[in-house]
Amino acid sequence: MATVLVVEDEPAISESLAYSLRREGHDVEAAASLADARERADDQDLVILDLMLPDGSGFELLAELRRRERPPAIIILSSRDQEADRVAGLETGADDYVTKPFSPREVVARVRAVLRRTLKSAPASEPAGPGLPLVCDGERRRASVRDQELELTKVEFDLLQHLLAAPGRVYSRAQLIEKIWGDNFAITDRTVDSHVKALRRKLGTAGGDPQWIETVRGVGYRLRERAED
Ligand code: CA
């Protein structure tokens, strides 16, 4: 099914996760340190990452993986359950977060959900129709709500396309800036907010719902997975 790297220094946890994930059909590797994880991180679809490792913080590896051309999906694993870590993890680009103690079944379910989102979103040029009546055709650069075409600027189109690539996934403003503008340091969080505002208005005008793009307080934005919630 997928290649999964479990980065965890507690053998009992690592082994039970690897066992459960293999039983689910995944191709699993394990690493017990950052150094070990770096050697095994190539070609992984998903990395399960403990934050407290003997040679440093999982956040270091998270940042490195995010800079890769094809970053794996990442689920953070930690005994630290403070809100600050959760937010930091999501802002740094983690796809999900599990707090210890957890049951392997819970992690397997999260893995399944994250892979469903990330693997499906890989071919970005496909006209993608999620649970929302929203279609975005990357090749023709056209987007529509129930056949009603949206008149979008380049930035609005790029924004919508990125959100639509992984409905339900939260993107921080920093991630959106990096994806849409690259290394343009003149772009601020406010710029992102104003483009999101314009995009929401156009979704509403075309017969959609401006709230399909949700604000996740203290983190960023995400596209709803379905129209009604
Ligand atoms: Ca640990």
Side-chain angles (χ1 to χ4, degrees):
M1 281 188 74
T3 50
V4 180
L5 176 64
V6 176
V7 186
E8 164 64 74
D9 59 318
E10 289 170 61
I13 297 178
S14 176
E15 280 159 25
S16 82
L17 277 180
Y19 173 79
S20 304
L21 290 164
R22 284 192 185 110
R23 215 174 45 173
E24 180 85 356
H26 298 303
D27 187 356
V28 184
E29 277 192 80
S33 66
L34 286 179
D36 198 5
R38 283 188 184 103
E39 281 183 16
R40 297 168 193 272
D42 289 335
D43 301 319
Q44 302 289 352
D45 294 317
L46 186 139
V47 175
I48 296 180
L49 183 59
D50 183 33
L51 286 182
M52 311 243 277
L53 292 158
D55 53 349
S57 162
F59 280 127
E60 277 177 49
L61 185 66
L62 178 58
E64 289 169 26
L65 292 174
R66 276 293 154 211
R67 285 197 295 270
R68 293 191 171 209
E69 199 176 326
R70 278 191 62 244
I74 295 166
I75 297 179
I76 287 179
L77 210 59
S78 177
S79 48
R80 297 188 291 175
D81 57 358
Q82 286 97 353
E83 187 66 17
D85 276 340
R86 183 182 290 266
V87 171
L90 293 171
E91 278 198 325
T92 327
D95 296 274
D96 207 347
Y97 193 109
V98 183
T99 304
K100 293 176 188 173
F102 54 80
S103 73
R105 270 176 60 195
E106 181 191 352
V107 179
V108 167
R110 302 273 189 120
V111 165
R112 200 182 295 139
V114 167
L115 287 174
R116 202 187 308 129
R117 296 205 302 261
T118 55
L119 292 181
K120 196 176 60 184
S121 70
S125 64
E126 289 285 302
L132 298 174
L134 187 58
V135 171
C136 198
D137 182 339
E139 274 174 26
R140 293 177 186 79
R141 298 203 51 95
R142 290 164 81 138
S144 57
V145 175
R146 297 186 192 90
D147 296 333
Q148 171 77 44
E149 191 157 345
L150 293 163
E151 303 282 339
L152 302 180
T153 63
K154 179 186 182 299
V155 167
E156 289 159 7
F157 184 89
D158 289 346
L159 193 55
L160 182 62
Q161 195 180 25
H162 280 297
L163 293 172
L164 198 52
R169 173 175 167 176
V170 185
Y171 288 92
S172 69
R173 290 171 179 82
Q175 285 175 322
L176 291 170
I177 289 171
E178 195 196 318
K179 283 174 187 297
I180 294 166
W181 289 276
D183 290 332
N184 185 338
F185 295 108
I187 305 296
T188 66
D189 288 359
R190 288 287 167 86
T191 315
V192 178
D193 294 343
S194 73
H195 287 288
V196 167
K197 194 173 159 191
L199 181 54
R200 279 177 171 154
R201 197 181 59 238
K202 290 179 181 182
L203 286 172
T205 307
D209 182 349
Q211 291 313 309
W212 284 346
I213 300 175
E214 295 180 319
T215 302
V216 181
R217 280 187 62 187
V219 185
Y221 294 105
R222 78 170 152 228
L223 194 72
R224 272 199 201 162
E225 289 177 271
R226 277 172 292 283
E228 55 283 312
D229 249 332

